[in-house]
Amino acid sequence: MNSIDRLRKIFLRSLESDFSEPEWNRQPDSLYAPQRYILGIGGKRLRPILALMAAESMGRNALEALPVAHAVERFHNFSLIHDDIMDEAPIRRGKSTVHENWGLNTGILSGDALMVMAYKSLLKAPKSMIHDLFETFNQTALEVCEGQQMDIDFESLDRIEEGQYLNMI
């Protein structure tokens, strides 16, 4: 088994066991069920795998990086929920989108709560790394928002230069 498959299995086992934690089973379930749904419908899981690979490349145990991997995956899925709402997309990964299943308002709230849960995951990382993790995470989150706004702005333009598009993505 190659290292990507091995790390994917580690992450997926961790994600599955995480769903049984009290955090995922709080009330109202209508807030948390959409999160379990979007995280459960798959995806390649490259972002969390890269977090685990980065830990191993630094001589650390991949298990130590699971909080970061969870934060990255939660943030990514938060951004997908919101992107689907903005794009009015009915389908994500071959399944109906969160807002199609639970409505626009619950989609927004579930996405927002998923972002908060990403931050809670980061807090489980080694304390010596928290500041740097939050710096990087916040900068990345801000850049995702900037890119999303550029995407919205581009809808009203007749022409977009390659450099503008590359900057957006």
Side-chain angles (χ1 to χ4, degrees):
M1 169 181 343
N2 69 37
S3 103
I4 291 174
D5 291 336
R6 178 180 57 81
L7 294 173
R8 180 179 288 114
K9 285 182 181 178
I10 289 170
F11 177 74
L12 290 175
R13 273 194 306 268
S14 173
L15 184 64
E16 186 177 305
S17 71
D18 195 46
F19 286 149
S20 66
E21 293 295 315
E23 180 176 64
W24 288 102
N25 298 297
R26 295 174 56 151
Q27 293 299 318
D29 189 58
S30 54
L31 180 67
Y32 298 98
Q35 297 172 5
R36 291 189 303 271
Y37 170 79
I38 194 161
L39 286 165
I41 61 173
K44 295 177 286 297
R45 313 292 190 187
L46 288 177
R47 290 162 187 83
I49 292 167
L50 287 171
L52 301 179
M53 289 177 85
E56 288 190 341
S57 75
M58 302 297 290
R60 307 293 290 254
N61 185 324
L63 298 177
E64 293 177 77
L66 281 171
V68 174
H70 281 265
V72 167
E73 187 67 3
R74 289 171 179 176
F75 174 78
H76 175 61
N77 281 277
F78 142 79
S79 72
L80 295 179
I81 291 172
H82 282 229
D83 184 63
D84 289 343
I85 290 168
M86 287 183 251
D87 293 345
E88 299 178 8
I91 303 291
R92 165 71 61 189
R93 298 173 179 150
K95 305 278 186 179
S96 57
T97 55
V98 166
H99 70 277
E100 287 288 320
N101 287 338
W102 284 273
L104 188 62
N105 292 338
T106 296
I108 292 168
L109 287 172
S110 289
D112 291 349
L114 199 52
M115 176 67 158
V116 172
M117 292 169 80
Y119 279 106
K120 287 180 75 171
S121 291
L122 282 179
L123 287 171
K124 295 175 185 172
K127 293 204 185 316
S128 63
M129 303 173 81
I130 299 272
H131 178 79
D132 289 341
L133 286 171
F134 271 78
E135 285 273 330
T136 301
F137 195 83
N138 286 336
Q139 183 61 38
T140 302
L142 184 58
E143 289 174 7
V144 167
C145 292
E146 291 169 351
Q148 186 66 32
Q149 185 60 54
M150 287 180 209
D151 188 30
I152 292 167
D153 293 347
F154 289 172
E155 291 175 9
S156 64
L157 300 178
D158 293 330
R159 181 171 165 74
I160 301 158
E161 300 295 324
E162 180 180 353
Q164 290 175 295
Y165 179 76
L166 291 173
N167 187 43
M168 177 198 69
I169 60 171

